[in-house]
Amino acid sequence: MFKNKFTETLLANKRHINSSFFLFSINFVNFIYPLLISPIIIKKCGLEGFGLVILFQSLFIFIASITDYGFNINATRDVTLNEKDKQFVNRHFFVIGYTKAFLFIIALLFSIVIYIFLPKANEYSVLYFSSLTILIGRAFNPLWVLRALHKIKYFFYLFIVSKGVSFLIIYFFLNDIENLFLVNLTIGLSDFITCFFSIIILIFRMKWHFYKPNFLAIKNEIIAGFSIFVQVISINANAYLNPMILGLFVNEYALGIYCVVEKIILVVKFCGSFIIQSIFPKACELAAKSIIDYKLFARKLFVFLVVSMIFAGLFLTGLSDFIVSYFLKTNRLSCSKFLIYNAWIPFIVVLNMVPYMTFMVFNKQKRTTFIMIFSVLLNGIINVILSKKFGIYGMATGIYITELFISISLWTILILKFPKLNFFKNDK
């Protein structure tokens, strides 16, 4: 009976399992790739060069939030729920595409403004403008629709090849800090090539017809997704702007130590985010059918994530020197201690992942907009004050405070404002 039940479950979720496999593979490469190139950058360009690369990487990933605009949540949900309506999917794809093009122009202008006012951008202008390709590469990423239609394999093969070429260029042609621009340039171009050809293949395979939306359709899409956009850009601001703040108060060497540890912590946090991204379409389907089934599903997911991050915290604490030794061969003590200090950030973050996903699934994200906006202000103010006085440890303390605020606030809203969505309660 167990075998039959297991087989039935696999068959019923075959498309989700298949898509999750490809998405897992993509995220696994995204997990491995920074770990492969980071020691190369540090060896050839030092911690100072590595800190600068990550600084501009983080900055342009944040700016790319403008073009993402929360489509990975909003548009994915819309296509998932209307997957059988081919005309809707066809039109929605081009509406989102045109909307992204409009937002891309805004993102470019924002990049120029940052260049004018950020001292390190002026000092390392070649590296800054070569990093602009990261924004270009991410601007038209089609994963939002590929996830909903379970067509991620179109993206996967191109992604693997482009990342492989990018790695080889960095490995053989990065010699010293003078050509440091090659790192972000090749990363951005590899993303652009992957996205461009994935879109072409998808359009031909799905036999879509070109559709040019009017300005009203673009305007409506921007208005409809604004609350999610505010939350997404707030989350990314908390995640990616900290190196920029820190760069105002510490030297390149200290920034390099922070970026090494941040890279390790982001990898661990990314594992939790990947799970949420993978099961989001399935969560939407469950919620549409039965709130009871969704709550049971969310409860198990939350427990799994919490337990996983407890083990991750213990692992990072107990093996900090061993982990850091992969990036640095000498002078590891400062970096190792700083990793121990940051080891429990992923645990704090994972406490808010499932509540946040619940608000997205049931389209209740507007109630959390204020929290996300305030968290950005809190993060910015606290981290400016603490990093100016205590350097990298002040920055880490500010991150702990901000993430605790987000977790406590989201749980408070879920329990008090939306008790029916509280997945730890069994009532309908």
Side-chain angles (χ1 to χ4, degrees):
M1 289 179 63
F2 173 78
K3 184 178 180 181
N4 291 338
K5 182 69 175 178
F6 181 73
T7 303
E8 290 175 7
T9 302
L10 287 178
L11 292 174
N13 294 279
K14 183 179 178 181
R15 296 173 72 224
H16 291 289
I17 294 172
N18 186 53
S19 294
S20 294
F21 170 75
F22 283 111
L23 190 59
F24 169 79
S25 300
I26 291 169
N27 281 277
F28 181 74
V29 174
N30 279 328
F31 172 89
I32 292 294
Y33 185 77
L35 299 181
L36 292 177
I37 66 171
S38 294
I40 297 172
I41 299 169
I42 293 171
K43 181 180 179 181
K44 296 185 177 183
C45 305
L47 272 174
E48 296 85 352
F50 180 72
L52 291 169
V53 164
I54 300 303
L55 169 63
F56 294 135
Q57 270 186 25
S58 300
L59 182 58
F60 278 103
I61 290 173
F62 167 72
I63 297 174
S65 304
I66 297 173
T67 58
D68 287 344
Y69 204 75
F71 294 131
N72 288 331
I73 295 171
N74 214 17
T76 299
R77 181 181 60 227
D78 291 342
V79 173
T80 298
L81 299 177
N82 297 277
E83 182 184 353
K84 295 181 180 180
D85 187 344
K86 294 183 179 180
Q87 187 176 11
F88 172 86
V89 176
N90 187 161
R91 291 194 171 195
H92 203 58
F93 174 80
F94 284 100
V95 169
I96 298 299
Y98 270 83
T99 307
K100 278 177 169 280
F102 174 76
L103 295 170
F104 177 67
I105 296 172
I106 296 175
L108 279 177
L109 295 175
F110 187 50
S111 303
I112 295 171
V113 172
I114 290 177
Y115 174 76
I116 294 172
F117 291 101
L118 183 64
K120 277 191 169 56
N122 284 266
E123 188 178 353
Y124 301 96
S125 57
V126 175
L127 178 58
Y128 183 84
F129 283 109
S130 64
S131 302
L132 186 63
T133 57
I134 293 175
L135 170 61
I136 298 171
R138 288 172 171 261
F140 300 96
N141 192 314
L143 268 179
W144 65 271
V145 68
L146 296 174
R147 287 168 56 206
L149 297 176
H150 305 282
K151 304 292 184 183
I152 300 181
K153 64 180 179 180
Y154 297 153
F155 185 92
F156 171 73
Y157 300 116
L158 291 166
F159 174 79
I160 294 297
V161 172
S162 65
K163 283 299 179 186
V165 173
S166 174
F167 173 80
L168 292 175
I169 291 174
I170 292 171
Y171 184 82
F172 287 108
F173 295 100
L174 178 65
N175 298 317
D176 51 43
I177 201 166
E178 293 297 322
N179 53 11
L180 191 61
F181 69 91
L182 282 175
V183 178
N184 289 347
L185 178 66
T186 56
I187 290 173
L189 289 177
S190 69
D191 288 340
F192 171 76
I193 291 170
T194 300
C195 294
F196 177 79
F197 285 104
S198 295
I199 290 171
I200 298 299
I201 293 171
L202 180 65
I203 291 174
F204 278 99
R205 286 296 182 94
M206 300 301 294
K207 298 180 180 179
W208 285 338
H209 300 288
F210 176 76
Y211 172 74
K212 183 178 180 180
N214 55 35
F215 182 75
L216 182 61
I218 296 173
K219 178 183 175 182
N220 290 338
E221 198 63 46
I222 291 174
I223 293 172
F226 181 72
S227 60
I228 293 180
F229 164 69
V230 170
Q231 297 186 43
V232 169
I233 203 167
S234 299
I235 292 170
N236 287 343
N238 291 334
Y240 295 112
L241 284 188
N242 290 332
M244 188 178 76
I245 296 173
L246 191 62
L248 298 173
F249 304 112
V250 301
N251 58 34
E252 283 83 355
Y253 185 81
L255 180 63
I257 291 176
Y258 174 83
C259 288
V260 167
V261 172
E262 184 193 48
K263 183 66 66 178
I264 297 168
I265 298 300
L266 283 176
V267 164
V268 179
K269 288 164 59 178
F270 192 68
C271 294
S273 299
F274 157 70
I275 294 173
I276 297 294
Q277 292 174 19
S278 298
I279 56 86
F280 184 73
K282 178 66 176 178
C284 291
E285 291 180 5
L286 283 173
K289 293 177 182 177
S290 169
I291 190 172
I292 296 176
D293 290 343
Y294 172 81
K295 289 167 72 172
L296 179 62
F297 175 77
R299 187 186 311 157
K300 292 179 179 178
L301 176 64
F302 178 79
V303 172
F304 171 76
L305 288 174
V306 167
V307 172
S308 298
M309 290 305 158
I310 290 174
F311 279 108
L314 294 172
F315 178 80
L316 292 175
T317 302
L319 297 175
S320 60
D321 185 66
F322 173 76
I323 296 169
V324 168
S325 68
Y326 176 77
F327 298 89
L328 300 171
K329 302 306 177 186
T330 59
N331 301 321
R332 299 195 301 264
L333 184 60
S334 297
C335 204
S336 177
K337 287 182 177 179
F338 189 57
L339 177 57
I340 293 173
Y341 191 78
N342 286 264
W344 295 97
I345 289 177
F347 172 75
I348 304 298
V349 172
V350 85
L351 294 177
N352 64 56
M353 284 185 176
V354 181
Y356 183 76
M357 182 188 76
T358 301
F359 292 126
M360 298 302 106
V361 166
F362 290 96
N363 201 21
K364 303 294 184 182
Q365 63 274 358
K366 289 184 180 180
R367 293 295 187 95
T368 64
T369 301
F370 174 76
I371 291 173
M372 307 316 294
I373 294 174
F374 186 80
S375 71
V376 175
L377 297 175
L378 179 67
N379 182 74
I381 294 171
I382 289 178
N383 284 339
V384 166
I385 295 172
L386 294 180
S387 61
K388 184 177 182 180
K389 189 172 181 62
F390 301 106
I392 58 177
Y393 281 89
M395 177 64 71
T397 303
I399 294 172
Y400 271 112
I401 294 171
T402 302
E403 294 298 344
L404 274 171
F405 167 77
I406 294 173
S407 295
I408 293 171
S409 299
L410 290 181
W411 272 104
T412 300
I413 291 179
L414 183 66
I415 293 171
L416 298 182
K417 297 291 185 180
F418 300 100
K420 291 183 179 180
L421 301 183
N422 183 0
F423 45 85
F424 278 104
K425 292 183 69 176
N426 293 320
D427 54 319
K428 294 185 179 180

